[in-house]
Amino acid sequence: MDAQRRGRGDQIDPADQWVLNPNTGEYELRLTPSGTQSPVSGTRGSTPPTRAGGTRADVPPQRRRRGAPEEPPPGRRGGRRPVQRKPKKAKKVLVWTGGTMAFVLVGVGAAGYFYLRHLEGNVTTTDVGSAGASNFSKDEAFSILIIGTDKRTGAGNEGYGDKGSSGHADTTILLHVAKDRSNATALSIPRDLIVNIPDCPTKLEDGSEKVVPGLRGVRFNRSLGEGGRDPGCTMRTVKENTGIQVDHFMMADFNAVKTLTTAVDGVDVCVEKPVNDKESKLVLPAGPSKVEGEQALAFVRTRKSFGNSGDLDRIKVQQQFLGSLMRKMSSGDTLTSPSKLLKLAEAATKALTVDQAIGSVGTLKDVALELKKVPTKNISFATVPVVDNPAEQVKATVVLDQSKAPQVFDMIQNDVSFTEVKQQKKKEKDAEAARLKGTKAPASEVRVRILNGGAVAGSAQKTLQYLQVEEGVTKSENGGNAPAELARTTLEYAPDQADQARRLADIMGLSGSALKPGESVTNSQGVPAMTLTLGKDFKGAGVKLDAPVEAADVEKSTADKVKCAS
């Protein structure tokens, strides 16, 4: 958005008019009558400087916040000496782009918030109904489906995508952020993955609803665009085939990659060998380079120059690109530059379509600040485990690798990190460790009901036999299946059963975090007992549980590592 001086042809870019107020330590917008930076006044919202001769410049006055004090008249700026404070860092901006997809969440300082209200008008929203969450919670884990379409829009994009297409899901990444913000996983979903697309209720422009019939055994990219399917249909398709509930979506087309990379002055990339791709027109020397605009789009769309020239190898290149972009966005040069932040914000909001639940600037800011809490070293990039479609002689599509994919989906559903992270604060760890300290009751006095809460079928009975025969826990019984599945095995006990809990924890190899102080249950003999629920982490009767959880056997990378495309 440009501010113009009346009666003159030149324009002022607000991105170049943010200055530091030494009294507040925050950046403020100053639309001055020249392209130079204006003096900083002692209070916010100061009167614009005057031209020679005493006349005030014809610059629109800044809006005053509701409830803020009226502007003092000129010449009555108090006599207090300004207090010099260190400037606060601008809130971190996270940018994700890949293929024809771009995802930007903007969080800036307090002064920048007022400018973000303008940006809200740039964002397009789609009502996905029950496909997603009705609101955004800052206290819960959340999943955002980032969709890049092959829709052609804008000048210079005639050579991309399918002519006349309403846009398919060309690039799709499921971003899951853990509840404690210790880690996040960006899981790429291949466009050629064979899936079942469920029936999809969609909202039409006139407010009516239309149900688009589902399809079975088709490519994933058909979950968007075809037959009027909206992003909500893609969200439902992810839930249908992975079991993971998607809360929100963000979608962009080809223009996003070009405008966003230009806004950040390019992204650093690296290739192991020279690239001269005639189809994408990407030309790069071996080693490091910087790409932006058309060249950045060519980089993330190129398939013929990397790996086996397939979509799965292109996904790896996109993930490397994302990691590089995130490192740049978390650098000090970007975080402390109002000019860069504003240009990026303007480009990002114009590029995005999101669900209504996160369509306001305030909510986008909240999402950004929650993402800001995740260290880049604990943001993992992975791809849905797949194998070639056995039904095809000429391999063109892929199907889920049933030996690996379920574990990946379970890890995401249950907030299990793909990296080793410190998931708890020291006080919490100390409190959990304290549960294991103290006297231990004899095994013969331990009373426990065993439930299966996600372990392999038959695990409760095998554990019962092990405890009774091998460990002497004779006052134990099989309670059947638990009401719900758990990612981790837990032991709930009443305060007067703490010594029993410590004994069973020693036998089972339970960590302090697995012990849950609570209430006892009445067993089949009418006697109070503890409840041992075997979760998905259960390794078998007699196998200790206190070993670290092993990550799924999938190829992955993290946002803090530099890698060269090959």
Side-chain angles (χ1 to χ4, degrees), residues 199-234:
D199 292 345
C200 179
T202 60
K203 296 288 183 67
L204 303 181
E205 292 184 1
D206 61 5
S208 62
E209 186 175 280
K210 171 188 175 183
V211 177
V212 183
L215 298 170
R216 298 186 65 81
V218 298
R219 281 178 165 88
F220 176 83
N221 68 344
R222 294 177 64 182
S223 64
L224 179 69
E226 184 178 303
R229 294 187 179 90
D230 62 15
C233 300
T234 309

Side-chain angles (χ1 to χ4, degrees), residues 288-299:
S289 297
K290 179 182 289 187
V291 295
E292 66 177 89
E294 289 284 353
Q295 196 178 31
L297 178 57
F299 182 83

Side-chain angles (χ1 to χ4, degrees), residues 206-344:
D206 61 5
S208 62
E209 186 175 280
K210 171 188 175 183
V211 177
V212 183
L215 298 170
R216 298 186 65 81
V218 298
R219 281 178 165 88
F220 176 83
N221 68 344
R222 294 177 64 182
S223 64
L224 179 69
E226 184 178 303
R229 294 187 179 90
D230 62 15
C233 300
T234 309
M235 296 167 70
R236 295 177 193 272
T237 301
V238 172
K239 175 66 182 299
E240 174 83 8
N241 293 272
T242 69
I244 301 171
Q245 177 62 54
V246 182
D247 301 307
H248 309 286
F249 85 88
M250 292 186 171
M251 181 174 69
D253 58 24
F254 291 121
N255 274 334
V257 177
K258 296 195 292 185
T259 58
L260 292 173
T261 53
T262 299
V264 298
D265 297 330
V267 175
D268 294 324
V269 298
C270 180
V271 293
E272 289 188 354
K273 57 185 179 180
V275 174
N276 188 352
D277 192 311
K278 295 181 180 179
E279 292 189 13
S280 69
K281 299 180 176 58
L282 177 66
V283 179
L284 289 177
S289 297
K290 179 182 289 187
V291 295
E292 66 177 89
E294 289 284 353
Q295 196 178 31
L297 178 57
F299 182 83
V300 294
R301 284 183 53 79
T302 293
R303 290 199 298 173
K304 302 299 182 182
S305 298
F306 303 118
N308 295 320
S309 301
D311 189 51
L312 296 180
D313 289 301
R314 183 181 69 159
I315 286 174
K316 295 177 185 178
V317 174
Q318 292 170 354
Q319 292 171 349
Q320 294 165 16
F321 182 85
L322 292 178
S324 176
L325 185 50
M326 293 182 68
R327 289 192 296 274
K328 179 166 185 178
M329 293 314 303
S330 61
S331 68
D333 288 346
T334 300
L335 298 180
T336 57
S337 170
S339 174
K340 288 183 180 179
L341 291 177
L342 287 178
K343 289 177 181 177
L344 178 60

Side-chain angles (χ1 to χ4, degrees), residues 421-539:
V421 297
K422 296 178 180 179
Q423 298 196 14
Q424 294 170 310
K425 297 177 182 178
K426 186 176 184 300
K427 288 184 178 179
E428 295 173 328
K429 286 187 174 182
D430 290 345
E432 291 173 354
R435 297 171 192 167
L436 298 173
K437 296 178 180 178
T439 59
K440 300 180 180 69
S444 60
E445 295 182 7
V446 174
R447 295 185 300 274
V448 61
R449 292 182 75 238
I450 307 167
L451 304 180
N452 190 330
V456 176
S459 293
Q461 183 60 32
K462 290 180 180 178
T463 300
L464 175 66
Q465 294 172 347
Y466 165 74
L467 290 177
Q468 291 184 340
V469 176
E470 302 292 335
E471 300 292 344
V473 184
T474 55
K475 297 177 181 178
S476 53
E477 64 181 35
N478 184 352
N481 291 328
E485 293 188 348
L486 301 178
R488 305 289 179 87
T489 297
T490 63
L491 175 63
E492 184 176 359
Y493 59 96
D496 61 352
Q497 297 172 319
D499 57 345
Q500 297 181 45
R502 287 190 283 268
R503 172 59 66 191
L504 190 58
D506 183 57
I507 293 171
M508 298 284 295
L510 298 174
S511 65
S513 62
L515 272 59
K516 305 295 182 185
E519 299 178 354
S520 62
V521 296
T522 303
N523 64 13
S524 60
Q525 303 299 316
V527 181
M530 301 182 295
T531 301
L532 174 66
T533 305
L534 305 178
K536 294 178 180 180
D537 65 336
F538 182 70
K539 302 173 183 179

